[in-house]
Structures are given as structure tokens and as C-alpha cells.
Amino acid sequence: MAISDNKYDNSFKRRSKKLKWRLIAENYELYLFLVPALLYIIIFHYIPIYGIQLAFKKYMPLHGIWGSPWVGFQQFEMLFNSPSFWRLIRNTVWLSLYSLIAGFPLPIILALLLQHLPNALFKKIVQMISYAPHFISVVVIVGMINVLLAPNSGVINHLLAILGFERIYFMAKPEFFPSIYVWSGIWQRLGFGSIIYMAALSGISQQVHEAAIVDGANKLQRIWYIDIPGIIPTAIILLILNAGNIMSVGFEKVLLMQNPLNMSTAEVISTYVYKVGLQGGRFEFGTAVGLFNSLVNAFLLVLVNQIARSYSENTLL
Amino acid sequence: MRAIGKTKGDVIFDIINYVILSILLLVLVYPIYFIVIASLSDPHAIYRGEVIYKIAGFNIDGYTRILHTPQIWIGYRNSLLYMTVGTLVNLFITIPAAYSLSRKDLIGKNIIMGIFVFTMFFGGGLIPTFILIRDLNLYNTPWIMIIMGGLNVYNMIVSRTFFQVNIPNELLEAAKIDGSTNTYFFLRIVIPLSKAIIAVMALYYGVGHWNNFFTGLIYLKDKELYPLQVVLRDILTQNQVLADMMSGDESFIEQQKIADSIKYGVIIVACIPMLILYPFVQRYFVKGVMIGAIKG
């Protein structure tokens, strides 16, 4: 994930500009290797970025995006004055923060538990099984949520009934939506999320642990003083990446989990863009909402990166 | 070593560890186990709450109905096609670019990298992309399912890291002395040495295509073109296809119960390809994360 690589050789630095051009000519094939990727990224990412100007225009399909007239910030005024605006923001931020707060520490804990498991076979079994849900598609996950939580036939409600509780129509109650979204996500990604921490843990020298054992440290002490400091760099980078996505909750899953009864907590910015902008045909408004969303994301990423930078050297940008 | 260091605290730690992980296993496995037994049980028994830990009233009616639903097979066929061709396109775009960026002597590497990385954090959003796709006449064609997501920048960075670590500079120098061109070196030396990363990438992209629901939802209109995930959405959350799967002479409540039974079966049918492949390919996914972690 490191972005720059400045390890030029010394000899390389001293080369003149002329030699630089010769090197480019010599390696022209390397640039040809980049052509498909650059073409793809320019067409499918940079042209839509150019299309963002639509947020400030009145779209006339016949004239194209470029030829449509400018109208200024009226779409944004409409967005900020819309009664549903704050509800959208609240829902979006809450879903993301809840996912982050609940979902961030758990893979770390799982990795630590697995790392200190004495039985290698049991460790393998837990790993094998916990990674698997990661590969289930979001459509199937939501289908599973629906059938498991169904009011009359769902097994959760049968278990509630057996234990003497009342049956709950979970998917129809807005107050349950964030928890169902977050915990099903944790169910799906906990195991796979732990792999990266397992990698970080395996990078810690076994000798440090052995020395600590000789000094009489127990497992909890070793986790606290050896393992956790060892995985903090990884954790910070993942935290920064996650923070940059606070405003982009999983569009597909939220959309699939929505029904007319849970909309008060289930409508988020991305699903709103889809419905109003695309299905409703209000392209300018949809673009404006999308731009607002991207800007907040970019701002959060930079902010968290700055905060991380002032506390340690482990930063992304 | 362990035996010496095992304190009383460690024994307690181990016991708690086993208990927590056993509960975790149960929580992870039970939902899937329940859906398997429910898909093989009598729908009435499921409603009565008799299906908790074992099959009640063995019944494969749901599967029979699924087998006779053409939409599902069309979806399977389409998804298979999109996945195969799409993944080949992905590899063609990703691997050469990743190799090129792994080279220390590539002038302008940081600028090019920046062009790619920027798109990870900022994009045009749904609507401008939609307008572009429509203007390119890719809307409602199979091509969009193949080309969309053609390059995943994160995957490219992972591949680049692999090349940086695994293709020693000496190899390149030696090949250059022998008069090898970059293309020859890439095709004849780099590719054969990089089967592992190509497998990892093929699987990452392949699973991405197979599970892709978004592209089909936004850019396809014809049901004939739907990938499996969009068909599944119709069955699992929209109850549209379900109506066609009834014979028509069942009562409403009866239909509800059969619908549930079909849903359990559909979830299993959708997971089968993954379940069969998973044990064989699991280690490649782990490897991918590990390579990504080297630099992350």
C-alpha cells in the first residue's frame, strides 16, 4: 500500500536529463504495458470525474455534459435545505461508525486468540471456517438474514419462542436495522479481516516471545507488551483507510436490506443517489449528492491521516 | 519451551480461548447449517419450529422447483461467461501494468502511480459514470459486465509488490546482457516465475465477478442478460420470480411456505460453486492478503 518508492540508485540520480530520455526510449515497452490500465482508468474513472461539473449545470442530453448551461450551486442548496438531508447524514455516519467501532477491534482479538492457541489443528479449523463467509455474495447474505430473521418461519424467532420471549419482526423495525447490518457484516468479515493481523503477528520474532517466557511473562502479558505493539502499525493504516470510507457504507447491502418499514434508519446517501438521481432521473441532483459524499470522504481521509501522523510515523499518504 | 513457561494464568487463558473460539465456530457455522437442513425439510415443519438442529419431514420439493426455473440457469450461464471473459480482461490489464510499475528504472513511476492511486479515494460517482456508460453504448450489453471493474488499483498494487519482491534485479541485468527485450523478459521470465500471483489475481477478480450484483443492477435491463446475483435478488428479496415458480393451485399461505422453502434451496444452490472450490483456493486468498500486507 506504500505509494512512493524513492530508492533510486545514486548513479541514477546523477544521470543527466538526456540520459533520462534515453532510458525512457530504451524502456518504451514498459510504457506500452501500462497502456491498457491507463486507458481503463482514464475512461472509467477520470471521464466521470470530469462529468462532476454536471452538479453545477442544467443537463441537456442533446448538448452533452460540456454543452449544458451552468446554473451554480442550486442543487446543493436543494440538498442542504431538503428535510431528509440530516436524516441521510445521520443514518450514513451512524452505520459506518457503528461498523468501525464494533468491527475494527474484533479481527485483532481473533488474530491474537488464534496466535496463542496451543492446538494447531483447531487453529486451522477455525481459520478455514471463519474465512469462508467472506466469499458469500451480498445478495445471498441478505437472503440469509431475511430467512433467518423471518417472523414466523425464521429460526431466530423459533429460538426466542422456545426461550419464552415474544416473536419480533426484526426487518420491519427501524431500530434493529443498524445492528443487523453491522453484526451480519462482522459475521461475514471477521475471519478474513484477521488474516492481515496474523501476518503482522507472524512478523514478530519468536525469540522475543521466548525471552519473555524465560523472564516469566504469561500469555496475557506477552500479548499486551509484545503482540499489540507489533500490530499497531497495521491497525493504524487500516483505520485510516476505513476512516476515508465513513460516508460510503455498502450500497448494495443497504439497498437489499431496505423495505418500506425500515426506511427511517435504512436510507443512506448512496441509496438516495440511486433512487432520486438514477431511478428518478434527476441527474444533476444525484451528481451533486455524490460529489458532496466524495468530498466528505476525501476530507476525512486526509484528516485522520494527519491525526495519525502527529502521533506516529505510520501514515498512508 | 512452552512447558516451562506455562503458568497457571496461561492455563486459564487457554481454556477461555478454547471456549471463545468454540462459540465463534458455532455462531459461524450454525446459520449455514440451519439453511442446509431447512432446505431439505418440510416447509410446514419449519413453520412449526421443528427444524432447529435436524431435518424434519425430508423434502426436496424446493430443489425440484429450482431445477425447473429457467431464470436461475440463465443467470448461472451468464455469470459464468462474465466471470471467465471478465477475469481474462482483468489479468490482461493488471499484470503488465503492475510489472511495469515494479521496475525501478521506470521514469515517471511516481506520477503514474499517483494517477492510479488517486482514483482509489476520489471518483465521479454513480450518475456521471452512468451517463458515460450510456454514451458509450455499453448500457444493457454483456460488455459492460465484462469491462466494468476492469482494473482494481489495490490488486494492481499487490501484484506490483509481488514483482518487486520476487523478481530480482540481477535476473533483469543478466537477461539484458543476453540481449533480451523487455517484452521477451516479461513473457518468458517474469510470467513463468509469477504463477502464484496470477492465480491469486484470477481468484480475486473471479470471485468479484461471480458475486457482482451492482453492475447488473445499474446497467442491465434485459432479464436475458442478468447475472446470477440479480436473479437471486429477484427471488430472495423481491418475490418476483417466486410467483412464476408456483403452480397456481396452492393457497396463499401454502405459497408463502413453499416460497420460504425455495429461498433456502436457492441460497444453497448459489453457494455450491463457492463451497466446492473454497477448500482448494483458500490458501491463495490468504497469500494475496499476505503479499498485500508486506507493504501495507
Side-chain angles (χ1 to χ4, degrees):
Chain A
M1 242 169 284
I3 281 132
S4 62
D5 187 351
N6 290 315
K7 286 181 210 128
Y8 294 95
D9 317 344
N10 275 334
S11 64
F12 189 78
K13 256 185 201 161
R14 271 183 259 118
R15 279 185 203 183
S16 69
K17 224 175 185 175
K18 206 174 159 193
L19 277 168
K20 217 173 198 179
W21 282 110
R22 226 177 75 189
L23 198 57
I24 291 177
E26 231 169 66
N27 282 334
Y28 74 96
E29 290 152 297
L30 295 182
Y31 297 92
L32 290 181
F33 289 172
L34 284 163
V35 167
L38 281 172
L39 268 182
Y40 178 83
I41 214 96
I42 289 166
I43 295 174
F44 290 95
H45 286 272
Y46 282 95
I47 293 182
I49 289 174
Y50 165 83
I52 287 178
Q53 53 180 288
L54 202 59
F56 309 96
K57 285 189 161 180
K58 169 108 192 72
Y59 185 48
M60 300 192 167
L62 282 178
H63 299 275
I65 293 175
W66 182 244
S68 299
W70 294 95
V71 294
F73 284 87
Q74 68 180 40
Q75 301 297 343
F76 290 92
E77 281 165 33
M78 211 169 353
L79 171 66
F80 297 137
N81 293 327
S82 137
S84 52
F85 175 67
W86 290 110
R87 192 174 48 110
L88 284 176
I89 299 280
R90 199 191 58 207
N91 289 347
T92 310
V93 172
W94 174 232
L95 269 192
S96 299
L97 272 183
Y98 188 177
S99 297
L100 192 62
I101 293 165
F104 190 71
L106 290 175
I108 300 178
I109 294 171
L110 177 61
L112 290 169
L113 290 179
L114 283 171
Q115 187 73 8
H116 289 276
L117 205 57
N119 185 328
L121 178 69
F122 189 64
K123 179 177 167 183
K124 257 215 160 80
I125 293 172
V126 176
Q127 285 180 299
M128 186 88 175
I129 290 175
S130 64
Y131 300 165
H134 176 81
F135 301 101
I136 302 175
S137 78
V138 62
V139 179
V140 171
I141 289 282
V142 175
M144 286 173 67
I145 294 172
N146 281 333
V147 294
L148 293 172
L149 295 178
N152 294 316
S153 61
V155 68
I156 304 290
N157 270 315
H158 283 317
L159 291 173
L160 282 180
I162 290 171
L163 296 172
F165 293 101
E166 224 162 282
R167 286 171 183 275
I168 303 169
Y169 190 177
F170 290 98
M171 293 305 280
K173 305 239 174 184
E175 65 267 31
F176 285 116
F177 178 83
S179 291
I180 298 171
Y181 174 87
V182 168
W183 289 98
S184 60
I186 290 173
W187 181 84
Q188 192 179 7
R189 307 210 183 278
L190 171 66
F192 208 76
S194 73
I195 298 177
I196 195 151
Y197 295 109
M198 298 289 288
L201 284 173
S202 68
I204 297 171
S205 158
Q206 202 52 43
Q207 288 171 348
V208 180
H209 276 284
E210 279 162 14
I213 293 170
V214 171
D215 287 346
N218 64 25
K219 281 191 177 176
L220 270 179
Q221 287 166 324
R222 276 155 51 208
I223 287 176
W224 188 252
Y225 293 107
I226 301 172
D227 290 339
I228 292 189
I231 54 181
I232 276 182
T234 309
I236 288 179
I237 287 185
L238 289 179
L239 196 63
I240 296 172
L241 281 175
N242 283 329
N245 284 320
I246 288 273
M247 297 291 280
S248 45
V249 289
F251 163 80
E252 303 180 343
K253 192 171 167 193
V254 175
L255 186 76
L256 288 163
M257 283 177 69
Q258 285 178 344
N259 61 53
L261 298 168
N262 65 15
M263 225 39 124
S264 64
T265 58
E267 189 79 297
V268 297
I269 295 176
S270 52
T271 56
Y272 185 71
V273 171
Y274 170 68
K275 285 176 203 162
V276 177
L278 202 59
Q279 292 187 319
R282 290 167 64 192
F283 282 0
E284 306 90 336
F285 186 64
T287 308
V289 182
L291 173 61
F292 168 75
N293 201 8
S294 305
L295 286 177
V296 176
N297 266 337
F299 171 76
L300 286 173
L301 179 78
V302 174
L303 182 77
V304 176
N305 192 57
Q306 286 308 115
I307 294 172
R309 180 175 287 173
S310 59
Y311 285 102
S312 72
E313 305 110 66
N314 308 305
T315 55
L316 182 72
L317 301 175
Chain B
M1 203 72 226
R2 281 247 164 78
I4 305 165
K6 214 156 200 176
T7 64
K8 203 176 153 198
D10 286 352
V11 176
I12 297 170
F13 178 91
D14 286 346
I15 293 171
I16 295 173
N17 197 350
Y18 275 116
V19 171
I20 293 176
L21 291 179
S22 302
I23 294 171
L24 177 71
L25 274 190
L26 189 71
V27 172
L28 287 170
V29 169
Y30 182 72
I32 295 168
Y33 173 74
F34 171 77
I35 288 169
V36 172
I37 58 171
S39 73
L40 294 168
S41 294
D42 174 19
H44 299 89
I46 300 172
Y47 265 77
R48 286 193 301 268
E50 287 163 17
V51 181
I52 302 287
Y53 58 91
K54 61 170 178 35
I55 296 168
F58 183 77
N59 177 318
I60 52 164
D61 189 39
Y63 286 106
T64 323
R65 284 176 200 254
I66 292 165
L67 275 173
H68 292 104
T69 307
Q71 284 99 320
I72 290 182
W73 302 115
I74 293 172
Y76 248 95
R77 185 202 62 196
N78 290 342
S79 281
L80 215 56
L81 183 77
Y82 301 152
M83 179 179 72
T84 317
V85 184
T87 304
L88 288 175
V89 171
N90 291 138
L91 293 178
F92 175 74
I93 295 178
T94 309
I95 299 293
Y99 172 67
S100 180
L101 288 167
S102 77
R103 285 276 293 264
K104 282 205 179 85
D105 55 346
L106 181 79
I107 308 280
K109 182 178 52 178
N110 289 342
I111 297 168
I112 300 168
M113 207 59 203
I115 293 173
F116 285 115
V117 170
F118 179 71
T119 63
M120 290 173 88
F121 303 109
F122 191 79
L126 178 66
I127 309 282
T129 312
F130 180 81
I131 292 174
L132 169 77
I133 300 301
R134 211 190 45 188
D135 292 349
L136 290 173
N137 289 322
L138 288 172
Y139 179 72
N140 202 30
T141 64
W143 302 110
I144 187 62
M145 298 301 293
I146 289 163
I147 194 70
M148 251 307 166
L151 175 71
N152 179 316
V153 175
Y154 179 75
N155 283 351
M156 189 185 73
I157 294 174
V158 170
S159 310
R160 167 179 166 259
T161 308
F162 177 91
F163 291 130
Q164 284 172 339
V165 174
N166 289 281
I167 307 294
N169 215 26
E170 292 75 21
L171 206 58
L172 176 68
E173 298 298 330
K176 268 186 181 165
I177 290 166
D178 290 346
S180 158
T181 63
N182 279 317
T183 309
Y184 185 88
F185 182 72
F186 175 67
L187 291 176
R188 290 299 161 91
I189 306 204
V190 175
I191 295 276
L193 285 174
S194 308
K195 287 192 187 107
I197 193 67
I198 293 172
V200 170
M201 285 301 125
L203 287 167
Y204 270 34
Y205 279 124
V207 171
H209 280 291
W210 186 260
N211 285 344
N212 182 352
F213 160 67
F214 181 80
T215 314
L217 173 78
I218 307 284
Y219 300 111
L220 291 183
K221 201 173 55 187
D222 286 350
K223 288 196 163 33
E224 285 294 304
L225 295 176
Y226 276 180
L228 182 65
Q229 300 303 327
V230 178
V231 178
L232 290 176
R233 194 272 310 247
D234 287 352
I235 296 174
L236 289 171
T237 66
Q238 308 265 302
N239 295 332
Q240 277 170 9
V241 182
L242 278 173
D244 305 340
M245 295 165 86
M246 304 295 167
S247 48
D249 47 9
E250 293 109 350
S251 74
F252 178 72
I253 295 174
E254 194 72 7
Q255 285 193 359
Q256 267 294 305
K257 291 183 180 172
I258 297 169
D260 279 342
S261 167
I262 291 172
K263 285 181 184 176
Y264 295 119
V266 164
I267 290 172
I268 300 301
V269 169
C271 289
I272 281 175
M274 225 39 116
L275 288 176
I276 295 173
L277 281 176
Y278 174 70
F280 303 103
V281 301
Q282 191 236 103
R283 65 195 182 91
Y284 286 104
F285 284 99
V286 176
K287 202 177 215 161
V289 177
M290 295 291 194
I291 298 168
I294 292 175
K295 283 233 158 172

